[in-house]
Amino acid sequence: MRTQLKAALGLFAGTLLCMAPQATALPGVAAGDAARTTAAQAAPDTVARAAADPAYKILVFSRTAGFRHSSIDDGITALRALGTANNFTVDATEDPGTFTTANLAQYKAVVFLSTTGDVLGGAQQTAFESYVTGGGGYVGIHAAADTEYDWPFYEGLAGALFHSHPAIQPATVEVEDRAHDATAHLGGTWQRTDEWYNYRTNPRTTAHVLASLDESSYTGGNMNGDHPIAWCKDYRGGRAFYTGGGHTDESYTDPAFRRHLLGGVRWAAGMTNADCRPESGYTSLFDGSGTTGWQQAGPGGFTLADGTLTSHGGLGLFWHSAREITGDYSLKLDWKASGDDNSGVFLGFPASSDPWSAVNNGYEIQIDATDAADRTTGAVYGFKSADLPARDAALNPPGEWNTYELRVTGERLEIFLNGSKINDFTNTDPARSLRQGHIGLQNHGDGDDVAFRNIRVKQSGTSPGPRTGRVTGVNGKCLDVDNSGTADGTKVQVWTCNGSAAQSWTVATDGTLKALGKCLDVSGGGSADGTRIQLWTCNGSGAQKWAAQSDGTVRNPQSGKCLDASGGTWNDGTPVHLWSCHTGPNQKWTLP
């Protein structure tokens, strides 16, 4: 487990069961500041966190071969002060000769501070590429985007290059990510004055945008209303952070901007984690502006302030009642524990005013890093532990924000923590389904203070449309409708693939498998081993629902059993039937 987490928790081996009842009950959602904060919060140079970062070094490079910013000296001074307060050492240089493989190896991150033009030679570029691909960090500040236009590697690293800029003026910065350490201290919007760059390309498709400009708040923006101004990305093995701010001398005495820089340095240097994968197509379920569409089940509740939901009392559940999520989807949300705190995110449960309904009918993804393996952070509570080494490497300690992505495909749940995959679970319980139900946040009890921000879901575009083609199984044979018959009860079998309509199946979005206008059906809705699988008029019943699994099997959720080619020889004409899942070759299928 990470050093910071150990220090913060004092190696406390918690034994709290996630759903153990608590004593004090507090009502509903407390009235806090329901609106997102519209001004940046000032922050000191020292990060308030559980444990100090280990000592490390960064290199600040500020060579210019074009326009030279007067603020460079102020930037170096600010970075040195941040280093003194946060346990890192700054070496500042304008000598490209420092870019050798041996010299760069001592630094956790290299900061390009308003560099301009061509600043590195070929051998130096090669050394820097090797540094980044070996896991090194990059921080670009302002005119770092006005640098090395003929070096494709650098353009990809920076994310976008300079196009033009209007006059220095105030503008509204819209903070899109309030979990990354560079922006977590800010409100939903940030009012500041700077020289606002336009870029040649939009980095949104290749980088994770942390903040963007409201082009209606100033004059001269030319990026058609989508104007990223700060972003991060994982790049060829390394980490890259860029901010467009920092032209003015005053930027470097602004506490909020200094804290922004510190977060970029810490992330690039690997001192904190974040989900820096590109993100688009998500719909907000909670953006910090209010809780319309949410309900509290059970005691306790959540306080809404500064665009953040913070749990109090319990044991209860704050659930999104306005929308049942069905099909394949990706749920993302940001969370932060203040100490040894307990909470969880629930998926796939029916609408209910009883929080225990979510426990008994859904799945909980745990937030509590000190409990048993199957009920600690990243676990599917009571069912499957996270990959603990991967979890520990990705987890930020108490006091810092973390981001979950909970990705549901069929009945498969993949759990990502700060962009790293830490769990892969498949539901095999016929009484539960990850693909249909509500989502909720647990308020565990008095003293368990966990905060949440930016809850969003991506459904359209994640849920695949109907797919048509052959279904292949054991010995490369195809799932086949006997003699192309269409009568209810027609036998379904395996047969040498021949491209006929009897072997053309449509995987529908409602979970059915269709051929010749009818559905693959479990006879009588049975669940006994050996129950006949047949063709039947589509009727929407559970006997006609099928879910592809990550292990290659195709399961009927109603019965909890698998589509199986009967017997042990599997010649042409071998019928398929229902059978207990065992992942043998006669239960492995490839769908269109």
Side-chain angles (χ1 to χ4, degrees):
M1 187 173 290
R2 295 180 60 199
T3 302
Q4 298 99 314
L5 183 62
K6 287 183 178 180
L9 299 180
L11 300 177
F12 174 74
T15 56
L16 294 174
L17 294 180
C18 187
M19 298 307 296
Q22 300 292 322
T24 303
L26 299 175
V29 176
D33 174 13
R36 286 185 294 176
T37 304
T38 58
Q41 301 171 359
D45 286 349
T46 302
V47 182
R49 58 182 181 275
D53 293 334
Y56 63 100
K57 295 175 67 175
I58 68 170
L59 178 67
V60 178
F61 184 56
S62 56
R63 185 185 186 198
T64 55
F67 180 82
R68 184 168 183 85
H69 286 73
S70 64
S71 60
I72 286 176
D73 289 342
D74 297 288
I76 294 171
T77 298
L79 288 165
R80 289 193 190 280
L82 290 170
T84 298
N86 294 278
N87 212 27
F88 64 86
T89 301
V90 173
D91 287 345
T93 186
E94 299 199 356
D95 179 7
T98 59
F99 281 72
T100 66
T101 299
N103 188 57
L104 292 176
Q106 65 183 304
Y107 300 110
K108 289 292 187 180
V110 177
V111 180
F112 278 56
L113 174 58
S114 284
T115 49
T116 54
D118 294 334
V119 291
L120 295 178
Q124 296 146 6
Q125 290 177 354
T126 298
F128 187 56
E129 289 186 20
S130 178
Y131 167 79
V132 172
T133 57
Y138 162 87
V139 174
I141 300 174
H142 192 57
D146 188 21
T147 300
E148 294 287 356
Y149 289 93
D150 298 321
W151 183 13
F153 178 89
Y154 184 83
E155 180 177 4
L157 181 71
L161 295 178
F162 168 79
H163 174 269
S164 60
H165 67 79
I168 297 171
Q169 60 191 297
T172 299
V173 178
E174 297 179 331
V175 182
E176 298 188 24
D177 183 327
R178 297 186 66 204
H180 194 286
D181 196 52
T183 45
H185 64 293
L186 300 172
T189 58
W190 184 16
Q191 306 296 330
R192 66 182 316 270
T193 296
D194 216 314
E195 181 183 74
W196 302 114
Y197 277 7
N198 299 308
Y199 300 96
R200 296 185 178 193
T201 57
N202 192 317
R204 191 177 294 276
T205 58
T206 60
H208 180 71
V209 176
L210 303 174
S212 56
L213 293 174
D214 177 357
E215 289 193 331
S216 69
S217 69
Y218 73 106
T219 59
N222 69 358
M223 296 185 69
N224 300 313
D226 183 13
H227 196 140
I229 198 64
W231 54 82
C232 61
K233 65 192 300 187
D234 297 304
Y235 187 70
R236 300 195 185 181
R239 293 183 173 194
F241 169 88
Y242 173 83
T243 179
H247 172 88
T248 66
D249 298 350
E250 295 78 11
S251 293
Y252 297 98
T253 56
D254 173 12
F257 187 73
R258 287 166 69 113
R259 183 64 185 84
H260 177 60
L261 292 183
L262 175 60
V265 168
R266 291 190 70 232
W267 178 79
M271 299 297 118
T272 186
N273 294 303
D275 188 346
C276 283
R277 297 171 297 169
E279 181 177 316
S280 62
Y282 283 80
T283 299
S284 178
L285 301 181
F286 170 73
D287 66 1
S289 61
T291 56
T292 300
W294 291 80
Q295 293 184 25
Q296 178 69 26
F302 284 79
T303 300
L304 173 59
D306 186 29
T308 305
L309 289 169
T310 303
S311 63
H312 61 83
L315 179 103
L317 188 77
F318 196 50
W319 62 289
H320 193 255
S321 58
R323 178 177 177 184
E324 185 177 56
I325 301 176
T326 60
D328 296 347
Y329 62 91
S330 167
L331 178 71
K332 284 190 175 184
L333 71 163
D334 306 328
W335 60 268
K336 179 177 71 172
S338 58
D340 179 30
D341 299 299
N342 201 331
S343 183
V345 182
F346 281 84
L347 306 177
F349 59 89
S352 176
S353 59
D354 179 4
W356 289 94
S357 177
V359 178
N360 296 327
N361 298 287
Y363 285 106
E364 179 188 3
I365 293 77
Q366 174 68 314
I367 296 171
D368 177 4
T370 62
D371 217 323
D374 68 343
R375 55 195 64 183
T376 184
T377 304
V380 182
Y381 185 86
F383 290 89
K384 186 175 182 181
S385 169
D387 177 337
L388 295 182
R391 189 283 307 273
D392 292 347
L395 180 64
N396 289 327
E400 295 188 28
W401 287 91
N402 291 275
T403 298
Y404 265 158
E405 181 193 2
L406 311 178
R407 184 187 300 170
V408 172
T409 309
E411 290 293 340
R412 180 186 185 186
L413 169 63
E414 296 171 275
I415 300 173
F416 296 80
L417 176 63
N418 296 322
S420 297
K421 186 173 176 178
I422 62 168
N423 207 340
D424 195 331
F425 168 76
T426 298
N427 169 42
T428 58
D429 183 349
R432 304 178 191 234
S433 177
L434 288 161
R435 302 183 76 247
Q436 183 169 4
H438 293 269
I439 68 105
L441 312 175
Q442 182 189 65
N443 54 299
H444 186 268
D446 289 332
D448 284 317
D449 303 322
V450 178
F452 296 89
R453 285 176 175 171
N454 195 17
I455 305 169
R456 64 264 195 209
V457 67
K458 184 176 182 179
Q459 199 166 3
S460 60
T462 302
S463 299
R467 310 186 309 275
T468 300
R470 65 187 189 180
V471 176
T472 55
V474 64
N475 294 339
K477 294 184 180 290
C478 277
L479 192 65
D480 178 279
V481 179
D482 187 25
N483 203 32
S484 299
T486 58
D488 284 351
T490 297
K491 171 187 173 184
V492 178
Q493 57 193 6
V494 293
W495 198 275
T496 300
C497 297
N498 55 33
S500 68
Q503 296 179 355
S504 179
W505 295 87
T506 296
V507 182
T509 57
D510 62 0
T512 58
L513 273 169
K514 300 178 181 179
L516 304 170
K518 294 198 171 182
C519 281
L520 190 70
D521 178 278
V522 178
S523 179
S527 60
D529 283 352
T531 299
R532 172 186 174 89
I533 302 295
Q534 59 192 4
L535 203 67
W536 200 271
T537 300
C538 297
N539 55 32
S541 70
Q544 297 181 351
K545 303 294 185 182
W546 302 92
Q549 306 299 304
S550 59
D551 60 9
T553 61
V554 175
R555 186 171 59 83
N556 171 240
Q558 176 173 277
S559 64
K561 294 191 174 181
C562 281
L563 180 67
D564 179 287
S566 62
T569 53
W570 311 306
N571 296 319
D572 283 352
T574 297
V576 293
H577 61 190
L578 200 68
W579 202 266
S580 297
C581 298
H582 54 67
T583 70
N586 57 322
Q587 291 188 350
K588 298 291 183 71
W589 305 91
T590 301
L591 276 59

